[in-house]
Structures are given as structure tokens and as C-alpha cells.
Amino acid sequence: MSSSVISVVSRFLEEYNSSTSTKLKVVDAYLLYILLTGALQFLYCLLVGTFPFNSFLSGFISCVGSFILAVCLRIQINPQNKAEFLSISPERAFADFLFAHTVLHLVAINFVG
């Protein structure tokens, strides 16, 4: 059983490294970073408490929103989805991502107080 899991994971990693572009790998690394940051914030909340609850909510919602925006960026710049996003260039998708990220963080900072 464990050898089949190891073989599946190794094949996945080989195909991911060979067929995924560098841009998508950078976005995937950013997604992993955001996921770990959100998990650490939630773990901290469970262990220490939620005394400044607005701060926890603001940080956690910022992580969730950033993850969603990055997934949308990944979908838009993926060459396999080019037929669905004909009118959106990768540069335009990145500019939309930056604008939405700015608005998200302004709202998060405003929510803290």
C-alpha cells in the first residue's frame, strides 16, 4: 500500500516538474505560503486565544481572500485555459490580481481598526 502511494506521489512530482511552467510554479509556491500562513494563524488562535478578535479575523480573512485571488490568477494564466480567457492577457490578469489584492488589504486594515 505505501509503495503504491510513494509511486503515485513520485509520478505526480515528475509530471508536475516536466509539464508545469515556471510562472505557475511561482503561483503555486505563493499558494502554499498563504495556506501555511492561514494554518499558523488558526493554530495560534486555538493555542493562545482570540483576545483581539478583529485582528485574528482580519488576518485570517486576508489569507483566505489572498488564496482565492491567487487561485483565480493561476486559472487565468494557465495555458490550458487560454480558450476560456481569450480577451484576458496574463499581464491583465496580474494587474487585476494586484488591484484586487490592494482593495482586499485596505479592507482588512480598516477592519482591524
Side-chain angles (χ1 to χ4, degrees), residues 31-97:
L31 285 169
L32 179 65
Y33 167 73
I34 295 171
L35 182 71
L36 293 176
T37 302
L40 284 174
Q41 284 182 353
F42 188 72
L43 182 66
Y44 179 83
C45 175
L46 290 177
L47 293 176
V48 177
T50 62
F51 166 60
F53 193 62
N54 284 356
S55 297
F56 165 71
L57 277 182
S58 178
F60 192 72
I61 290 171
S62 177
C63 283
V64 172
S66 296
F67 188 86
I68 291 169
L69 291 174
V71 167
C72 292
L73 175 66
R74 190 188 194 286
I75 289 170
Q76 289 178 355
I77 66 172
N78 191 349
Q80 295 176 349
N81 298 333
K82 192 168 270 286
E84 296 175 19
F85 300 103
L86 289 175
S87 63
I88 300 176
S89 68
E91 292 82 12
R92 163 84 190 275
F94 188 68
D96 290 345
F97 169 77

Side-chain angles (χ1 to χ4, degrees), residues 87-107:
S87 63
I88 300 176
S89 68
E91 292 82 12
R92 163 84 190 275
F94 188 68
D96 290 345
F97 169 77
L98 289 178
F99 177 74
H101 228 274
T102 303
V103 171
L104 171 70
H105 289 326
L106 286 174
V107 169

Side-chain angles (χ1 to χ4, degrees), residues 9 11 21 25 52 67 79 92 95 97:
V9 170
R11 181 165 180 208
S21 69
K25 288 179 184 176
F67 188 86
R92 163 84 190 275
F97 169 77

